[in-house]
Amino acid sequence: MTVSDPLQDSQDKAIKAILDIYTSLLFKPPPKQFTVLAAFYLTRRCDALSSQWPLKVISISTGTKCTPAIKYSPRGELVHDSHAEVLARRGALRWLLEEIGRINTSTGYVSEWLTRIDGSPTQNSDERPPYLLRRDVELNMYVSTLPCGDASMRYLASTQDATMAALKSTNVFPLLAPHEASRGRDNYNRLGVLRTKPGRADSPPALSMSCSDKMAKWSVVGVQGSFGSRFLEPVYIRRVIIGEVPRDDEGMRRIVREDCERALKERLGDVKGLPEGYAIHPPEICFTDIPFVHCKTELDGVVRTTGSCNESLCWVADSKPSEVLINGLKRSTSPKNRYSEKYRPMLSRISMFDLYRQIMELEGLVPIPYDMYYVDAKAGSMRYQRAKTALLGPEGLFSGWIRIDTQYQRFTLNE
């Protein structure tokens, strides 16, 4: 008699729920194009013998593209990084903020997932925020393939042909200091370092850091970001479930686990100077054999893929209808409409800024002035900013993190 594993059963149930929602949204890449899917979901721990772990999928996204720096917008309407993992994290933040909104506006509403720890909101962002995940609630992440960057370098090296491997060899790239970021997939042999998003060597460079780097950052500062930190204690990912690494290749799974643990845990070492409430919380690495229909491996089994899909799906539970982005804007947005509130992507900086303003008002805090700059509003979350500086600042382990120039963050809600 086979004894089932409650955690594995819960994990399989969650991924099937994610894929069911994805299928219901009727999004489909063009023929011969693959994509990556990422999602965040909440679970509540139950008795160890119980197979009924309540769960809620809160965000789903797909995507493999990011905007080159030469096309960045200073008005906040353009999503710079459309990789699935990054969009899904922004979707999870949107759900968390909107859940706080529901707690404030829906009569008798009691959240299954968040709890309030005091009844007096405060303007001082150094004080303890009023909400946190309930004691038995965990945040989990699913990714249909390995995150780009440090977690995937040896896996990619093992699958590249000899010509590509030669192009990515150590000898053709300049020697970089340990803290400096490599561009994309340059130099497969340089492990445990920061990297920008991958892209063709002849394409304009992107300034977005790799998904491995961003996930490592979330292991220190949480997924709630600066806006969410005004209302929530740090929210950390309990486990990351990764697809597309076959169970029957035990050697590769061992390598992938080692690489993920290095990328998301070991290279963080001991981050000094974190404020109270912040600590290193690396996720547990898990695998799944449940296939994602539009991943490269599945599609290559049917027809050889020609590239990745240019579009990105964004879905947030209990929120607006799902959206499809292309080149960082909602599909079919004309040039004359791109700055209109109606056409703003719900995960764009300016949309998240406006949601933050709404939650500030609902919590009885001094409203954000409509002429306040986005960058200044983020700086107001002082405890979070100190945690971020401990990791990314001049003395931090990730001091080579490439930052977006403030000219792209000096927009207001009057834009």
mmCIF file of all heavy atoms in Angstrom, residues 216-234:
data_model
loop_
_atom_site.group_PDB
_atom_site.id
_atom_site.type_symbol
_atom_site.label_atom_id
_atom_site.label_comp_id
_atom_site.label_asym_id
_atom_site.label_seq_id
_atom_site.Cartn_x
_atom_site.Cartn_y
_atom_site.Cartn_z
ATOM 1 N N ALA A 216 16.295 35.957 -5.226
ATOM 2 C CA ALA A 216 17.207 36.019 -4.087
ATOM 3 C C ALA A 216 16.947 37.279 -3.261
ATOM 4 O O ALA A 216 16.955 37.249 -2.021
ATOM 5 C CB ALA A 216 18.654 35.980 -4.570
ATOM 6 N N LYS A 217 16.698 38.381 -3.942
ATOM 7 C CA LYS A 217 16.366 39.626 -3.248
ATOM 8 C C LYS A 217 15.103 39.453 -2.410
ATOM 9 O O LYS A 217 15.051 39.888 -1.250
ATOM 10 C CB LYS A 217 16.173 40.742 -4.283
ATOM 11 C CG LYS A 217 15.691 42.070 -3.721
ATOM 12 C CD LYS A 217 15.420 43.043 -4.860
ATOM 13 C CE LYS A 217 14.645 44.258 -4.382
ATOM 14 N NZ LYS A 217 14.272 45.150 -5.512
ATOM 15 N N TRP A 218 14.077 38.780 -2.978
ATOM 16 C CA TRP A 218 12.846 38.564 -2.211
ATOM 17 C C TRP A 218 13.096 37.696 -0.982
ATOM 18 O O TRP A 218 12.356 37.799 -0.003
ATOM 19 C CB TRP A 218 11.784 37.910 -3.099
ATOM 20 C CG TRP A 218 11.478 38.672 -4.353
ATOM 21 C CD1 TRP A 218 11.654 40.003 -4.579
ATOM 22 C CD2 TRP A 218 10.939 38.140 -5.574
ATOM 23 N NE1 TRP A 218 11.276 40.340 -5.861
ATOM 24 C CE2 TRP A 218 10.829 39.225 -6.499
ATOM 25 C CE3 TRP A 218 10.542 36.867 -5.989
ATOM 26 C CZ2 TRP A 218 10.339 39.049 -7.798
ATOM 27 C CZ3 TRP A 218 10.053 36.691 -7.278
ATOM 28 C CH2 TRP A 218 9.955 37.774 -8.164
ATOM 29 N N SER A 219 14.138 36.853 -1.034
ATOM 30 C CA SER A 219 14.473 36.021 0.123
ATOM 31 C C SER A 219 14.964 36.855 1.297
ATOM 32 O O SER A 219 15.000 36.375 2.426
ATOM 33 C CB SER A 219 15.553 34.992 -0.244
ATOM 34 O OG SER A 219 15.073 34.064 -1.190
ATOM 35 N N VAL A 220 15.343 38.106 1.038
ATOM 36 C CA VAL A 220 15.835 38.993 2.087
ATOM 37 C C VAL A 220 14.801 40.058 2.444
ATOM 38 O O VAL A 220 14.492 40.276 3.615
ATOM 39 C CB VAL A 220 17.151 39.669 1.659
ATOM 40 C CG1 VAL A 220 17.641 40.644 2.738
ATOM 41 C CG2 VAL A 220 18.215 38.620 1.372
ATOM 42 N N VAL A 221 14.251 40.720 1.439
ATOM 43 C CA VAL A 221 13.363 41.865 1.715
ATOM 44 C C VAL A 221 11.883 41.509 1.610
ATOM 45 O O VAL A 221 11.026 42.317 1.964
ATOM 46 C CB VAL A 221 13.684 43.057 0.780
ATOM 47 C CG1 VAL A 221 15.131 43.479 0.933
ATOM 48 C CG2 VAL A 221 13.374 42.730 -0.677
ATOM 49 N N GLY A 222 11.548 40.295 1.132
ATOM 50 C CA GLY A 222 10.159 39.905 0.979
ATOM 51 C C GLY A 222 9.600 40.289 -0.377
ATOM 52 O O GLY A 222 10.220 41.048 -1.133
ATOM 53 N N VAL A 223 8.408 39.780 -0.683
ATOM 54 C CA VAL A 223 7.775 40.046 -1.977
ATOM 55 C C VAL A 223 6.864 41.267 -1.933
ATOM 56 O O VAL A 223 6.341 41.689 -2.963
ATOM 57 C CB VAL A 223 6.953 38.827 -2.467
ATOM 58 C CG1 VAL A 223 7.813 37.590 -2.559
ATOM 59 C CG2 VAL A 223 5.738 38.583 -1.584
ATOM 60 N N GLN A 224 6.666 41.834 -0.745
ATOM 61 C CA GLN A 224 5.677 42.903 -0.587
ATOM 62 C C GLN A 224 6.158 44.253 -1.094
ATOM 63 O O GLN A 224 5.355 45.175 -1.258
ATOM 64 C CB GLN A 224 5.238 43.002 0.878
ATOM 65 C CG GLN A 224 6.207 43.699 1.804
ATOM 66 C CD GLN A 224 7.486 42.924 2.059
ATOM 67 O OE1 GLN A 224 7.513 41.711 1.918
ATOM 68 N NE2 GLN A 224 8.544 43.616 2.438
ATOM 69 N N GLY A 225 7.455 44.399 -1.363
ATOM 70 C CA GLY A 225 7.968 45.642 -1.912
ATOM 71 C C GLY A 225 7.830 46.811 -0.960
ATOM 72 O O GLY A 225 7.362 46.690 0.178
ATOM 73 N N SER A 226 8.223 47.977 -1.444
ATOM 74 C CA SER A 226 8.177 49.161 -0.584
ATOM 75 C C SER A 226 6.744 49.575 -0.270
ATOM 76 O O SER A 226 6.432 49.947 0.862
ATOM 77 C CB SER A 226 8.935 50.319 -1.239
ATOM 78 O OG SER A 226 8.423 50.603 -2.516
ATOM 79 N N PHE A 227 5.847 49.505 -1.255
ATOM 80 C CA PHE A 227 4.464 49.902 -0.998
ATOM 81 C C PHE A 227 3.782 48.929 -0.031
ATOM 82 O O PHE A 227 3.126 49.331 0.921
ATOM 83 C CB PHE A 227 3.684 49.980 -2.304
ATOM 84 C CG PHE A 227 4.047 51.161 -3.173
ATOM 85 C CD1 PHE A 227 3.767 51.158 -4.520
ATOM 86 C CD2 PHE A 227 4.667 52.280 -2.637
ATOM 87 C CE1 PHE A 227 4.100 52.244 -5.332
ATOM 88 C CE2 PHE A 227 5.011 53.372 -3.429
ATOM 89 C CZ PHE A 227 4.727 53.352 -4.790
ATOM 90 N N GLY A 228 3.938 47.647 -0.278
ATOM 91 C CA GLY A 228 3.313 46.664 0.595
ATOM 92 C C GLY A 228 3.863 46.697 2.013
ATOM 93 O O GLY A 228 3.151 46.355 2.973
ATOM 94 N N SER A 229 5.126 47.124 2.162
ATOM 95 C CA SER A 229 5.749 47.106 3.488
ATOM 96 C C SER A 229 5.131 48.128 4.433
ATOM 97 O O SER A 229 5.310 48.031 5.652
ATOM 98 C CB SER A 229 7.257 47.358 3.367
ATOM 99 O OG SER A 229 7.516 48.687 2.956
ATOM 100 N N ARG A 230 4.411 49.106 3.905
ATOM 101 C CA ARG A 230 3.716 50.065 4.782
ATOM 102 C C ARG A 230 2.567 49.410 5.531
ATOM 103 O O ARG A 230 2.147 49.906 6.580
ATOM 104 C CB ARG A 230 3.186 51.249 3.964
ATOM 105 C CG ARG A 230 4.239 52.166 3.400
ATOM 106 C CD ARG A 230 5.103 52.812 4.484
ATOM 107 N NE ARG A 230 4.331 53.616 5.424
ATOM 108 C CZ ARG A 230 4.054 54.900 5.268
ATOM 109 N NH1 ARG A 230 4.496 55.545 4.185
ATOM 110 N NH2 ARG A 230 3.369 55.552 6.176
ATOM 111 N N PHE A 231 2.073 48.289 5.002
ATOM 112 C CA PHE A 231 0.911 47.644 5.609
ATOM 113 C C PHE A 231 1.192 46.226 6.099
ATOM 114 O O PHE A 231 0.461 45.706 6.930
ATOM 115 C CB PHE A 231 -0.233 47.576 4.585
ATOM 116 C CG PHE A 231 -0.463 48.865 3.853
ATOM 117 C CD1 PHE A 231 -0.078 49.012 2.532
ATOM 118 C CD2 PHE A 231 -1.036 49.952 4.497
ATOM 119 C CE1 PHE A 231 -0.269 50.203 1.856
ATOM 120 C CE2 PHE A 231 -1.234 51.154 3.827
ATOM 121 C CZ PHE A 231 -0.847 51.283 2.507
ATOM 122 N N LEU A 232 2.237 45.592 5.555
ATOM 123 C CA LEU A 232 2.480 44.171 5.809
ATOM 124 C C LEU A 232 3.866 43.925 6.379
ATOM 125 O O LEU A 232 4.845 44.513 5.921
ATOM 126 C CB LEU A 232 2.373 43.374 4.500
ATOM 127 C CG LEU A 232 0.989 43.112 3.932
ATOM 128 C CD1 LEU A 232 1.090 42.834 2.438
ATOM 129 C CD2 LEU A 232 0.348 41.924 4.636
ATOM 130 N N GLU A 233 3.930 43.026 7.374
ATOM 131 C CA GLU A 233 5.222 42.479 7.767
ATOM 132 C C GLU A 233 5.815 41.761 6.544
ATOM 133 O O GLU A 233 5.075 41.350 5.645
ATOM 134 C CB GLU A 233 5.048 41.492 8.917
ATOM 135 C CG GLU A 233 4.766 42.144 10.260
ATOM 136 C CD GLU A 233 5.994 42.848 10.822
ATOM 137 O OE1 GLU A 233 7.121 42.335 10.665
ATOM 138 O OE2 GLU A 233 5.827 43.928 11.420
ATOM 139 N N PRO A 234 7.144 41.605 6.470
ATOM 140 C CA PRO A 234 7.740 40.953 5.301
ATOM 141 C C PRO A 234 7.074 39.625 4.977
ATOM 142 O O PRO A 234 6.816 38.810 5.865
ATOM 143 C CB PRO A 234 9.198 40.752 5.725
ATOM 144 C CG PRO A 234 9.449 41.843 6.711
ATOM 145 C CD PRO A 234 8.161 42.038 7.447
#
